[in-house]
Amino acid sequence: MTATDTRDAGIDEVEALAVEALRWMLAAAWDTEGGGLVWPAKPSDDEPESMLYDGTAGVVPVLLEAWRHFKDDSYADTALRAARGLVAAVEDCEDSSLYFGLTGMALALRAVHDELGDPASGAAADRALELVRSRFDGTRWGELFELMGGNAGIGLGALLLGDEELAVGALEPYLRTAEKVPSGVHWEFRTGREGRMHHLSHGTLGIVHALAAVGTATGRTDLVELARAGVAGVVARDEDGPEGFLVGHSDPAHLPDLIERYSYGWCHGPAGDAQVFRQLRDVFTGEAAAWSALADRCWHTVTHSGLPGRLRPGFWDNNGRCCGTAGVLALACGRMAEQDDGHDFARVLVADLTDRAIRDADGARWSNVEHKAIPSDLEPRTGWAMGNAGIARELMRYVRLGRGGDPDYAFAWPDQPAVRRGALQATDPIRPAGTDVTS
């Protein structure tokens, strides 16, 4: 499908849906005493959230995205008010992590400083990172030891915030805590938990992403090679080769009575795994074909899995960026931009989001499903992970691509590699050194 085909498929209607989603999200904001804005994770909550994952820090980048996309200064004005809400929350935030705490808040605040020239946001970002640095015990910041809540995410955030010393310090503990497996290494994701997770959000591939990014930026080849060992351990677990790529959620299985063995989204599945392989393609440039082959295999599995159809209770119950359809759309749009591929499936994903949207005078929003609960339709959420912010962001990008515009985001999420136009499509059978890319 060409860009013209995408326009003909109702691109203006998709943009209108993004506007409605932003309108509902904006209406859910709460005013603060200092003239700021904050968001609850869902409208019925008693307290607002500040975090990148499900709170105000995750809304701010989407407001910047809307400002750039629509060239409407009202979104920039709202981002400034949201930044005031974050500034006021910095000193009281006890979590230091990327997705749940100060590191993510610092990134959102620095973006407002850089894009809108707000000195208070820049100062608050510096203060947030100062607090993060002061809480490091030399090994970790708390129980979580992965991308979302632990060292890997803090290291990525510190790198983007210009603190290479903190970034390296956050990643070095993985050198001494790596656990050997037959084909590589892995790590615990939380203190004292038996299971080892494998994917981007809480598992080995999230740590691999941070090791590769920080190691490459700082010239630390030991971190880069540790990333190679980590990814080799995950690749060896593939169960869908040679055409596809699918690795179980965790081993030994974490909460097997509650969590399905296989996921397909950004957090614990091939939609996120492919983002790591895209990054490694750009790190190990001499092996680009092999890493692209792994990303292509992830895409094969995603597109043949049956999503976004809800094939059975619990299979595909989420519309959002973390666990659901919007996260797969992010990968599809990346393929559209890099390889002129993914158009048809992106259109399927957008059609599903359109069909599942709740639309009325208040705007548009999405209800995720918990099939084990009664009622199973959950309250719509505002933020990046499972709510309007994350969905609207991907819809806007899809629209730009459909019109031949910029595929990049206004705010680069730390764990999503930038588009490399004309990226290699994998036909070369070369294997990444130290890995076995067959099943």
Side-chain angles (χ1 to χ4, degrees):
M1 182 181 292
T2 65
T4 301
D5 293 328
T6 306
R7 274 198 301 275
D8 292 344
I11 204 72
D12 292 343
E13 289 80 3
V14 178
E15 187 173 59
L17 178 61
V19 171
E20 291 181 49
L22 290 164
R23 180 158 57 86
W24 184 87
M25 183 187 75
L26 292 172
W30 299 347
D31 294 307
T32 68
E33 291 183 2
L37 290 175
V38 292
W39 273 262
K42 53 185 186 297
S44 67
D45 287 351
D46 295 329
E47 297 290 337
E49 292 284 359
S50 299
M51 67 178 78
L52 193 67
Y53 184 80
D54 212 16
T56 304
V59 171
V60 166
V62 180
L63 294 170
L64 295 175
E65 194 77 38
W67 174 53
R68 186 185 74 164
H69 181 93
F70 294 106
K71 298 178 174 56
D72 181 343
D73 286 345
S74 68
Y75 290 113
D77 293 340
T78 305
L80 284 168
R81 292 190 63 198
R84 282 187 215 138
L86 284 179
V87 168
V90 164
E91 295 293 340
D92 294 328
C93 183
E94 297 180 358
D95 192 295
S96 297
S97 69
L98 173 61
Y99 274 97
F100 310 131
L102 285 170
T103 302
M105 293 166 64
L107 286 169
L109 286 164
R110 182 64 62 81
V112 171
H113 171 268
D114 292 347
E115 295 294 326
L116 304 178
D118 182 47
S121 294
D126 292 342
R127 175 57 178 158
L129 200 61
E130 178 185 343
L131 288 170
V132 172
R133 193 181 303 108
S134 71
R135 295 171 180 174
F136 186 38
D137 70 5
T139 300
R140 58 202 304 156
W141 277 265
E143 287 190 356
L144 290 174
F145 197 56
E146 29 68 291
L147 176 76
M148 289 193 124
N151 289 46
I154 291 172
L156 276 176
L159 181 68
L160 290 175
L161 290 161
D163 192 335
E164 291 190 355
E165 181 180 2
L166 179 59
V168 169
L171 272 295
E172 284 181 327
Y174 292 116
L175 291 164
R176 59 180 183 268
T177 57
E179 302 169 352
K180 291 185 178 180
V181 293
S183 298
V185 298
H186 65 191
W187 293 266
E188 67 174 2
F189 76 96
R190 184 190 291 268
T191 302
R193 294 291 176 90
E194 181 183 358
R196 299 294 181 260
M197 295 189 180
H198 308 308
H199 300 280
L200 187 53
S201 61
H202 294 301
T204 296
L205 288 183
I207 296 169
V208 164
H209 181 100
L211 287 167
V214 173
T216 300
T218 62
R220 287 290 299 265
T221 56
D222 55 343
L223 299 180
V224 176
E225 288 308 308
L226 186 61
R228 188 191 288 280
V231 74
V234 176
V235 169
R237 296 177 183 275
D238 169 50
E239 301 175 34
D240 197 30
E243 292 86 3
F245 187 84
L246 186 65
V247 173
H249 176 275
S250 49
D251 293 290
H254 177 66
L255 302 177
D257 294 339
L258 298 176
I259 300 173
E260 292 204 6
R261 174 67 179 160
Y262 303 104
S263 300
Y264 295 88
W266 170 86
C267 50
H268 291 287
D273 301 347
Q275 301 287 12
V276 179
F277 297 143
R278 287 181 59 240
Q279 181 216 23
L280 296 178
R281 172 202 68 195
D282 299 337
V283 170
F284 301 114
T285 54
E287 305 161 8
W291 295 111
S292 291
L294 282 166
D296 286 348
R297 287 167 55 183
C298 291
W299 181 246
H300 176 91
T301 292
V302 166
T303 55
H304 288 77
S305 67
L307 72 83
R310 296 185 175 175
L311 304 184
R312 62 183 183 277
F315 170 72
W316 198 251
D317 289 344
N318 196 295
N319 305 289
R321 180 59 177 79
C322 178
C323 317
T325 304
V328 183
L329 180 59
L331 178 62
C333 287
R335 293 184 69 89
M336 289 165 64
E338 289 189 337
Q339 301 169 209
D340 195 26
D341 181 26
H343 300 270
D344 290 338
F345 198 63
R347 184 177 179 181
V348 169
L349 299 170
V350 169
D352 188 75
L353 288 170
T354 302
D355 290 344
R356 297 191 186 281
I358 302 167
R359 305 171 84 168
D360 56 25
D362 296 325
R365 64 274 192 199
W366 287 262
S367 174
N368 299 319
V369 173
E370 174 48 69
H371 70 284
K372 296 179 181 179
I374 300 175
S376 60
D377 288 345
L378 303 177
E379 182 180 355
R381 303 179 77 91
T382 61
W384 173 85
M386 289 178 281
N388 275 42
I391 296 171
R393 181 174 184 259
E394 302 309 332
L395 291 175
M396 286 186 282
R397 187 189 191 207
Y398 175 82
V399 169
R400 286 198 304 278
L401 281 166
R403 292 172 175 162
D406 190 348
D408 293 322
Y409 298 101
F411 173 93
W413 225 256
D415 47 57
Q416 184 172 345
V419 163
R420 184 159 68 87
R421 292 157 185 82
L424 180 66
Q425 286 185 280
T427 55
D428 191 328
I430 296 171
R431 297 178 181 179
T435 70
D436 180 358
V437 298
T438 62
S439 60

